[in-house]
Amino acid sequence: MTKLRLAIVGAGPAGIYAADILLKAERKFDVSIDLFEQLPAPYGLVRYGVAPDHPRIKGIITALREVLDRGDIRIFGNVRFGEDITLDDLKHHYNAVIFATGAIRDTDLDIPGIDAIGSYGAADFVSWFDGHPDVPREWPLEAASVAVIGNGNVALDISRMLAKHAEDLLPTEIPENVYEILKDSPVTDVHVFGRRGPAQVKFTPLELRELGELRDVDMVVYDEDFDYDEASKAAIASNKQVMVIDRVLQAWRKRDSVNNTGGTASRRLHLHFYAKPLEVVKDEEGRVAAFRYERTRPDGEGGVEGTGEIREVPIQAIYRAVGYFGSPLAGVPFDKRHGVIPNHEGQVLRKDSNERVPGVYATGWIKRGPVGLIGHTKSDAMETVRHLINDQGSWWQPVDSSEEGIPELLASRGVQWTDLAGWHRLDEHEVALGAPHERARIKVVPRDEMVSISRGE
Ligand SMILES: Cc1cc2nc3c(=O)[nH]c(=O)nc-3n(C[C@H](O)[C@H](O)[C@H](O)COP(=O)(O)OP(=O)(O)OC[C@H]3O[C@@H](n4cnc5c(N)ncnc54)[C@H](O)[C@@H]3O)c2cc1C
Ligand SMILES: NC(=O)c1ccc[n+]([C@@H]2O[C@H](COP(=O)([O-])OP(=O)(O)OC[C@H]3O[C@@H](n4cnc5c(N)ncnc54)[C@H](OP(=O)(O)O)[C@@H]3O)[C@@H](O)[C@H]2O)c1
């Protein structure tokens, strides 16, 4: 039987689903898969992106774990492609590679003042509150009034995390250092700004509705944003999601907190629409002092146009949640404009041409950009794996296809890799840390601590 030795880089949902689909589908080849992950723990954004107060979604980890626990995939955690292992190494040891490296950083928002002190990217904040090992442990939560730019689910996640009282997060898996800082937050007002209208938002009804259920947080919406044009009315009539979003917002308009009158909560979450970012205004010390924007109006086709009316809201911190962006990988083609690996249905293409790069595949967010839910990475993986199987003729011919080759190579480079048993050790350790406090787990954050627990040192 032909042997297929496959490397997958990235142990997020896309990488794990690709391994699962290949192992379940393929009977023509004798398949062996090695999964390389830069972090000492698998699951990508499910562990380090999904908000800690969404335990149901975090629970997808159970399904991903079952795939890994089946025992037919080897994991090399704490191994960074591009530093600890290269494309040439993979060619030496495997028939092909699938890159599933996702996207971890923020898209830029090119407006004056975005470099002010107190101006942050949502991805960095998410990494902090989800205990990512590679971001600082501290986060300066000193602002009473905060702006969040963007109308996607990430904008709602971070607005909720900023507005929610820390005690209400205690039952979740938030790390200790995160709780300690959140509990002293002086925040009173979180202002979310979307450049288009309520019928053009990217967030979903469930996530919106959840904001209205936060304890001691009033939702504030503004009547001026609900003078719908024909295109918005048509979107509300024809799209169930948009219809529900409108219904939730209309219910909030009827509450006392509308236009900031009569709310009794100690914190408020304001939703502003038709607000195009213009500038982050700084004070003399270079700190965030205000958010300046232009009021927009619908252009009749789902877009907006400027009205020339400029407004300013005093704030002390600003978070841009205008999308994530993929990072280039050494030796692998990269589309700088879209932040993805150029590909046709997962078959990687050379830069600026449609020529295929033999043996190299992509799946998940690094394949199609940072949009879509965890479930979408499954269909992605199916497409990529289908091509991989059909491309047998163009696979690499490895020089060393032994099982020991990779551990020996990593050891020779002094790489402290972690394996599946190590992940189980870390997992059990985190669960045990949480048990006395009746919490599902308490995450271990420092990378060296994660590695030494995993390696039983
Ligand atoms: C803040 C946030 C919240 C979200 N919440 C939800 C939600 O509630 N529900 C939902 O369905 N979807 C949610 N999503 C979307 C979901 O997270 C993505 O659809 C999914 O994680 C994409 O999977 P992926 O495997 O492509 O990327 P990732 O999950 O990012 O996984 C990529 C993996 O590759 C690793 N990697 C990267 N570079 C290297 C390298 N050089 N070497 C080795 N390894 C590397 C990374 O460490 C990571 O583990 C959320 C997204 C974000 C940003
Ligand atoms: N709970 C969940 O299910 C959950 C949680 C988090 C993330 N996710 C998923 O993860 C994916 C990524 O989410 P995301 O929120 O990062 O991205 P997103 O859904 O693409 O939303 C990005 C938002 O930023 C706005 N934006 C972009 N550029 C801008 C600019 N220059 N000025 C002002 N606004 C700008 C967009 O407005 P326009 O629409 O006008 O471009 C949009 O409102 C999505 O598929 C999301 O559903 C899911």
Side-chain angles (χ1 to χ4, degrees), residues 9-15 36-39 43-46 49-51 54 57 79-81 100-103 126 154 157 324 329 363-366 372-375 377:
V9 180
F36 294 92
E37 168 56 51
Q38 65 175 341
L39 296 173
Y43 313 130
L45 282 169
V46 189
V50 171
H54 282 172
I57 308 294
V79 178
R80 188 168 163 75
F81 177 86
T101 47
V126 167
V154 172
D157 269 355
Y324 275 54
L329 296 158
T363 194
W365 275 17
I366 196 65
L373 300 180
I374 298 162
T377 61

Side-chain angles (χ1 to χ4, degrees), residues 32-298:
S32 75
I33 298 181
D34 287 349
L35 190 50
F36 294 92
E37 168 56 51
Q38 65 175 341
L39 296 173
Y43 313 130
L45 282 169
V46 189
R47 182 172 157 102
Y48 290 117
V50 171
D53 57 347
H54 282 172
R56 197 177 54 79
I57 308 294
K58 289 273 189 205
I60 292 176
I61 283 179
T62 311
L64 297 174
R65 186 189 156 134
E66 276 167 19
V67 175
L68 302 181
D69 279 357
R70 249 186 2 234
D72 44 10
I73 302 165
R74 287 199 303 182
I75 298 184
F76 294 93
N78 201 34
V79 178
R80 188 168 163 75
F81 177 86
E83 286 174 17
D84 302 317
I85 197 147
T86 66
L87 193 61
D88 282 341
D89 296 330
L90 298 183
K91 282 184 183 164
H92 196 82
H93 292 274
Y94 299 93
N95 297 106
V97 57
I98 299 180
F99 287 102
T101 47
I104 189 74
R105 62 194 176 94
D106 289 284
T107 299
D108 294 335
L109 178 62
D110 195 13
I111 56 170
I114 198 71
D115 59 343
I117 301 165
S119 167
Y120 308 108
D124 292 333
F125 184 51
V126 167
S127 292
W128 172 73
F129 68 61
D130 250 344
H132 195 290
D134 296 342
V135 299
R137 299 292 100 81
E138 302 294 317
W139 192 272
L141 283 183
E142 290 148 5
S145 290
V146 181
V148 174
I149 313 301
N151 264 178
N153 278 324
V154 172
L156 294 198
D157 269 355
I158 66 163
S159 304
R160 191 179 71 254
M161 289 296 290
L162 286 163
K164 201 165 181 168
H165 289 278
E167 307 86 79
D168 298 334
L169 286 163
L170 254 191
T172 74
E173 60 177 49
I174 51 161
E176 281 301 308
N177 64 308
V178 174
Y179 170 72
E180 288 301 323
I181 291 175
L182 282 176
K183 89 175 161 38
D184 294 331
S185 169
V187 76
T188 58
D189 292 85
V190 178
H191 296 269
V192 185
F193 293 93
R195 61 181 169 183
R196 297 193 284 158
Q200 289 84 37
V201 295
K202 295 264 172 69
F203 52 68
T204 37
L206 204 63
E207 281 62 32
L208 178 67
R209 199 182 281 131
E210 190 182 354
L211 298 182
E213 292 158 8
L214 300 182
R215 181 179 66 81
D216 191 32
V217 178
D218 275 335
M219 291 308 299
V220 185
V221 289
Y222 295 86
D223 280 341
E224 63 174 1
D225 290 334
F226 294 90
D227 190 10
Y228 289 138
D229 69 327
E230 289 309 315
S232 296
K233 285 180 194 162
I236 292 166
S238 63
N239 182 319
K240 185 132 183 275
Q241 290 232 130
V242 183
M243 190 187 297
V244 179
I245 283 168
D246 176 57
R247 206 177 291 152
V248 173
L249 293 169
Q250 297 295 350
W252 289 342
R253 285 181 76 190
K254 297 195 185 102
R255 288 191 191 171
D256 286 347
S257 51
V258 169
N259 291 344
N260 223 346
T261 57
T264 54
S266 68
R267 293 179 176 179
R268 285 159 296 280
L269 212 161
H270 309 246
L271 299 182
H272 305 264
F273 298 95
Y274 301 113
K276 181 184 165 209
L278 287 185
E279 184 179 352
V280 180
V281 182
K282 300 180 191 177
D283 65 13
E284 301 90 63
E285 286 161 359
R287 294 180 180 281
V288 172
F291 172 57
R292 187 174 291 155
Y293 65 93
E294 181 181 7
R295 178 86 180 152
T296 60
R297 64 177 160 235

Side-chain angles (χ1 to χ4, degrees), residues 284-316:
E284 301 90 63
E285 286 161 359
R287 294 180 180 281
V288 172
F291 172 57
R292 187 174 291 155
Y293 65 93
E294 181 181 7
R295 178 86 180 152
T296 60
R297 64 177 160 235
D299 65 4
E301 289 165 12
V304 286
E305 57 193 18
T307 63
E309 182 192 342
I310 311 300
R311 296 183 182 180
E312 216 172 274
V313 182
I315 46 156
Q316 300 84 46

